[in-house]
Structures are given as structure tokens and as C-alpha cells.
Amino acid sequence: MQKVINVLAILSFGVSAGVVVGGVYIFQNKEAIQDNIKQQVIDAATAGVGDALPGMLGGSSTGSESPVPISIPSVPF
């Protein structure tokens, strides 16, 4: 029974040490992590806008374009 308790104690120490090491890593790299997340959000938003408005951002046009130019009517005065 003592051996089982010792194994559980060692496993508990390992888990606790892993949590502490993970917390320290995140604390020291939080700015880099935040910048990475911000860049991913910006890239996703840019791609979303590009897909929604392809003609305005230079993407491929899916709408039909008139082959004949449309003239604006002139005022007869």
C-alpha cells in the first residue's frame, strides 16, 4: 500500500510541476502569444472581407459586367 501512495505522490508532483512550468512559460511569452493571436484575427478578417467584396479589393469578379459602356443621359437645357 505504501508503494501505491508513493507512486501517486510522485505523479502528483509531476502534474504540479507541469502546471507551474506551463504557467511560467505563458507568463514570459504572453506578449508574443497576444501578437500572434492578433495577427491571426487580422488575417482572418482580411480574408473574410476579400471573399465578401472581391471586386473592390482586386480579387476575382463573380458578377456580370456590361460589355457596352453605359452613358449618363444629358440634360436638354
Side-chain angles (χ1 to χ4, degrees), residues 29-54:
N29 295 316
K30 68 180 175 183
E31 290 183 19
I33 293 169
Q34 288 174 347
D35 290 340
N36 187 11
I37 292 171
K38 286 178 189 177
Q39 189 61 43
Q40 289 177 355
V41 169
I42 290 170
D43 292 343
T46 303
V49 169
D51 291 343
L53 305 170

Side-chain angles (χ1 to χ4, degrees), residues 12-23:
S12 174
F13 176 76
V15 170
S16 298
V19 168
V20 169
V21 168

